[in-house]
Amino acid sequence: MDSTSMLYQDVESELLVTKEKIAERVRELGRQIARDYEGRDLVVVSILKGSVLFFSDLIREIDMPLTIDFMQASSYGNAAQSSGFVHIKKDLDRDIEGKDVLLVEDIVDSGRTLAYLKTMLKERGANSIRVATLLDKPEGRQVEMEADYVGFIIPNAFVVGYGLDYAEKYRNIPEIGILRPRVYQG
Ligand code: 5GP
């Protein structure tokens, strides 16, 4: 990280996950997913917007034919605290009946968003539904929700970068860091 960069000014100086670590782990997950889904009709779904960077890197590491789709759900407003309410802002474009669906998420915290989405998509007759998440905060869990592929387990702090935002900012930071509390404490 360049310490003079304006991009990093609201992030704690000790980064949680660097670019190199992300690239290495995404490569490993891609290989594992390709092995697990060999010969299957895989649809990889990006949960917008937080997962877009992880998603676009991950699908390029999955060396097999697949299709992609997008979905947007939100359980957070602008606050760094979960509201517990899940709202579908954008649904899938294509039918998933009989398909093997891999939901790609940026982070699992309370688990509510993914638990809700999994239940909803199961009712549409998918052959299987699994979850790949870049980050997992097990300490935040409120409902039972285990991701099938996890990039990194992190402590219970509010993080930004590599797609993750606070009030729509910081998504373009190429690595992951803890947001300085002064930003949301005003
Ligand atoms: P859950 O439903 O598991 O509580 O929340 C998942 C969603 O909350 C994520 O997709 C993400 O949008 C948001 N979220 C949870 N923890 C964090 C965090 O540390 N940083 C950011 N930027 N978003 C978070």
Side-chain angles (χ1 to χ4, degrees), residues 91-161:
D91 207 336
L92 298 173
D93 289 335
R94 306 282 297 268
D95 192 2
I96 53 164
E97 196 174 342
K99 310 264 187 200
D100 291 293
V101 178
L102 180 64
L103 298 175
V104 179
E105 179 62 298
D106 52 358
I107 186 164
V108 184
D109 184 15
S110 73
R112 284 198 186 96
T113 310
L114 279 167
Y116 180 87
L117 293 181
K118 277 183 86 171
T119 308
M120 194 184 101
L121 297 179
K122 232 177 247 165
E123 287 166 7
R124 298 186 190 174
N127 186 47
S128 69
I129 300 172
R130 284 190 188 167
V131 171
T133 186
L134 173 69
L135 304 172
D136 189 1
K137 287 202 283 200
E139 288 167 57
R141 211 64 99 249
Q142 305 277 331
V143 298
E144 209 176 304
M145 197 3 258
E146 288 312 315
D148 303 276
Y149 305 94
V150 176
F152 303 93
I153 293 176
I154 62 162
N156 208 7
F158 193 83
V159 298
V160 293

Side-chain angles (χ1 to χ4, degrees), residues 25-83:
R25 189 72 187 115
V26 170
R27 217 170 295 129
E28 287 170 0
L29 290 175
R31 268 195 229 119
Q32 195 187 337
I33 291 165
R35 272 199 306 272
D36 293 354
Y37 284 93
E38 197 187 337
R40 313 261 293 269
D41 196 356
L42 176 62
V43 185
V44 188
V45 175
S46 167
I47 312 294
L48 298 170
K49 303 175 191 167
S51 79
V52 287
L53 275 72
F54 174 45
F55 174 81
S56 60
D57 285 342
L58 182 66
I59 56 173
R60 285 177 288 179
E61 299 292 348
I62 305 174
D63 188 12
M64 62 174 277
L66 54 79
T67 59
I68 63 169
D69 209 335
F70 297 87
M71 196 163 195
Q72 189 167 15
S74 63
S75 68
Y76 271 39
N78 277 349
Q81 279 253 314
S82 175
S83 65

